[in-house]
Amino acid sequence: MTQRRLGNHCLVVHAHPVSESFNTALRNSVVEGLLAAGNQVRSVDLYAEGFEPVLSDQEWTSQLGLPSTRPDFTKHVEHLRWCNHLVLIYPTWWSSTPAMLKGWFDQIWVNDVLSTHPSATVNIPSRLDNVERLSVVTTHGSGLIRNYLQGFGGKRMILRGLRSLCSRQCRTDWIAMYHLDTSTLRQRTRFMKRVQSRLTP
């Protein structure tokens, strides 16, 4: 029952510039699997919609204002507040997320969305306690050992940083495929099935 409830409202955020990429195929498979399992699903393709990830000086200043100061991002804020299962699908580049996805964090995870900035304190209470499951599906051109030596920067940012802003009981999934650049069709198909199995128990 608990697993079913956690995946009830699923927001899938996808960040890859190529519509024919394996990452896009993963996104399609995830959405299909979540819907087939009876979940409500909203899917966001940041590149396809032309999301603007660059944070200007004016936008930086307005971050301490209310979300209403950025009406162009109202839809994204509403999606984030609606979901209890957030799924991020992206390629790992330079040991982290694409700049497009990082820009989504910078622009959308702002004051009065994820928290309220109190004065004279470093303890910022989260408001995204609706997010009870945080899942990452990512691909790496390199292997596991190289990523281990590099410190898994992207993994730590999301599963420690973003997760701390969600529900205290937030579950996490890290589903990664390594050596994508030299993978076979059989290996990619197997990984896709593994992703569906993990996200739709």
Side-chain angles (χ1 to χ4, degrees), residues 12-186:
V12 179
V13 179
H14 174 238
H16 196 289
V18 182
S19 60
E20 296 82 16
S21 68
F22 179 59
N23 264 261
T24 302
L26 282 170
R27 185 275 312 275
N28 295 341
S29 176
V30 166
V31 170
E32 178 183 337
L34 290 171
L35 286 172
N39 300 286
Q40 297 182 49
V41 181
R42 297 182 183 181
S43 181
V44 174
D45 188 328
L46 297 177
Y47 279 96
E49 75 171 50
F51 183 85
E52 177 52 67
V54 179
L55 188 67
S56 68
D57 56 348
Q58 181 180 2
E59 289 163 345
W60 166 253
T61 302
S62 69
Q63 276 196 331
L64 296 181
L66 299 174
S68 58
T69 63
R70 297 301 310 275
D72 48 330
F73 291 154
T74 299
K75 175 183 65 176
H76 290 274
V77 171
E78 197 275 326
H79 288 338
L80 193 54
R81 287 172 168 167
W82 167 84
C83 75
N84 53 23
H85 184 188
L86 174 60
V87 184
L88 305 174
I89 304 177
Y90 62 88
T92 292
W93 294 337
W94 294 101
S95 303
S96 190
T97 65
M100 176 66 82
L101 183 57
K102 179 58 168 59
W104 186 73
F105 298 147
D106 291 342
Q107 301 273 22
I108 305 303
W109 292 57
V110 295
N111 185 45
D112 210 52
V113 175
L114 64 89
S115 63
T116 297
H117 288 249
S119 60
T121 179
V122 294
N123 296 317
I124 302 175
S126 172
R127 287 194 171 187
L128 285 180
D129 53 2
N130 57 290
V131 180
E132 298 176 317
R133 187 174 181 185
L134 175 59
S135 303
V136 173
V137 179
T138 188
T139 56
H140 301 253
S142 56
L144 177 60
I145 293 177
R146 174 172 292 183
N147 284 271
Y148 172 79
L149 294 174
Q150 292 173 339
F152 294 104
K155 183 176 183 179
R156 286 187 289 110
M157 178 186 72
I158 294 177
L159 297 195
R160 295 185 186 181
L162 292 189
R163 187 248 178 259
S164 69
L165 300 171
C166 301
S167 168
R168 290 185 179 181
Q169 290 75 42
C170 183
R171 296 169 50 204
T172 61
D173 306 282
W174 181 266
I175 316 171
M177 180 174 184
Y178 299 93
H179 295 296
L180 176 66
D181 295 347
T182 57
S183 65
T184 64
L185 176 59
R186 181 178 180 181

Side-chain angles (χ1 to χ4, degrees), residues 3-20:
Q3 288 183 343
R4 180 81 171 192
R5 182 179 63 84
L6 290 177
N8 191 40
H9 288 180
C10 307
L11 174 60
V12 179
V13 179
H14 174 238
H16 196 289
V18 182
S19 60
E20 296 82 16

